[in-house]
């Protein structure tokens, strides 16, 4: 299995890389911080898998196409692409931080669209492949404050993945949407997150879900497969209090 992961220099991207390497996957890893990718490649060397790395800012859409194709060529093909790179910053709408909300919208949706485009071009050409889109449990509802734009982008991303899935239904191309719950990484250190799991547990749950290749999966399954459904029907006053 040849798996490409974007946003692989830290957090869940790096965690999934470690999990897949332990399972014998050859890897293509892309992120802005090449030094971290190179350190991760060296860390994974004892596993014996091939690890190709490349610097990539996913907001440079021309670079997304060029880099993913180059990594494909380096590994001799790609069986799976994990669209993982994203941002979590934002501010309440109308509070003067359009810049932060725009950056989140651009990276989490428009740049994810570019990654899906090039991945699907490769899979259509090959006649097979597995596209994995990392959304969030936040996609289930509109959220308040700094999470408003983030939740909206993740909802859009989930719909994008579903549309692609419908488009290629009945073919050897599979599309999986992952909706992680609260997983502690260096990006959210200090935040209050009920039912949170550590990064190693979260990355393992995500890798397990990816290997099953369902259409959609909450990760970890418990308690988010229940809480996600509850969130969808929660009355607005309660939603405001709990979020």
């Amino acid at each position: 299995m040849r798996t490409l992961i974007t946003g692989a220099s830290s957090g869940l991207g790096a965690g999934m890389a470690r999990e897949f390497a332990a399972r014998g996957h050859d890897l293509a890893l892309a992120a802005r911080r090449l030094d971290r990718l190179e350190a991760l490649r060296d860390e994974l060397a004892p596993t014996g898998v091939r690890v190709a790395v490349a610097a990539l800012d996913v907001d440079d859409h021309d670079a997304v196409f060029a880099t993913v194709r180059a990594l494909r060529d380096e590994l001799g093909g790609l069986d799976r692409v994990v669209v993982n790179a994203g941002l979590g910053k934002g501010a309440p709408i109308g509070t003067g931080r359009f810049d932060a909300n725009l950056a989140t919208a651009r990276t989490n949706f428009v740049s994810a669209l570019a990654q899906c485009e090039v991945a699907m071009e490769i899979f259509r050409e090959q006649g097979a492949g597995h596209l994995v889109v990392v959304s969030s449990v936040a996609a289930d509802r509109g959220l308040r404050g700094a999470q408003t734009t983030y939740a909206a982008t993740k909802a859009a991303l989930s719909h994008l993945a579903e549309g692609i899935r419908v488009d290629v239904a009945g073919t050897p191309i599979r599309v999986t949407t992952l909706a992680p719950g609260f997983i502690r990484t260096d990006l959210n250190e200090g935040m209050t997150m009920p039912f949170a799991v550590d990064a190693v547990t979260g990355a393992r749950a995500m890798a397990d879900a990816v290997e099953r290749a369902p259409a959609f999966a909450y990760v970890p399954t418990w308690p988010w497969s229940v809480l996600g459904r509850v969130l969808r029907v929660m009355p607005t006053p309660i939603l405001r209090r709990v979020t």
Side-chain angles (χ1 to χ4, degrees), residues 8-240:
S9 62
S10 64
L12 295 175
M16 284 189 286
R18 295 184 178 99
E19 284 292 327
F20 289 134
R23 303 173 194 209
H25 296 206
D26 290 333
L27 296 172
L29 306 178
R32 288 177 299 170
R33 295 171 290 189
L34 184 60
D35 58 334
R36 291 199 178 192
L37 291 177
E38 291 171 337
L40 182 57
R41 178 186 61 195
D42 294 343
E43 175 192 331
L44 299 177
T47 65
V49 302
R50 290 185 296 166
V51 181
V53 299
L56 175 63
D57 179 350
V58 294
D59 290 337
D60 182 343
H61 303 145
D62 289 339
V64 168
F65 283 82
T67 301
V68 172
R69 289 167 180 158
L71 289 168
R72 182 268 317 268
D73 293 344
E74 186 170 348
L75 290 186
L78 290 172
D79 303 299
R80 177 179 291 136
V81 172
V82 182
V83 178
N84 172 70
L87 287 180
K89 65 182 181 179
I93 304 299
T95 59
R97 288 305 312 276
F98 175 69
D99 59 325
N101 291 323
L102 177 61
T104 297
R106 180 185 294 118
T107 299
N108 288 3
F109 183 70
V110 180
S111 296
L113 172 62
Q115 294 165 70
C116 290
E117 285 274 5
V118 67
M120 290 301 297
E121 284 182 7
I122 291 169
F123 295 157
R124 288 179 188 274
E125 181 180 343
Q126 294 175 169
H130 184 197
L131 176 66
V132 179
V133 173
V134 180
S135 181
S136 170
V137 70
D140 286 339
R141 289 295 295 272
L143 300 181
R144 62 181 296 198
Q147 295 298 305
T148 299
T149 299
Y150 176 82
T153 64
K154 291 300 186 177
L157 188 56
S158 291
H159 279 279
L160 175 66
E162 184 175 23
I164 299 170
R165 186 180 308 119
V166 172
D167 194 37
V168 298
T171 77
I173 301 174
R174 296 168 297 169
V175 181
T176 293
T177 305
L178 295 184
F182 292 143
I183 301 173
R184 294 198 177 279
T185 70
D186 55 349
L187 299 179
N188 55 38
E189 187 174 356
M191 291 178 59
T192 300
M193 298 189 299
F195 306 107
V197 298
D198 61 85
V200 172
T201 300
R204 183 173 299 119
M206 291 180 74
D208 288 343
V210 168
E211 295 276 63
R212 294 194 303 271
F216 178 91
Y218 288 106
V219 286
T221 303
W222 175 258
W224 296 104
S225 60
V226 174
L227 293 181
R229 291 176 174 86
V230 171
L231 189 63
R232 293 178 188 178
V233 298
M234 186 176 291
T236 298
I238 298 176
L239 179 68
R240 178 175 172 82

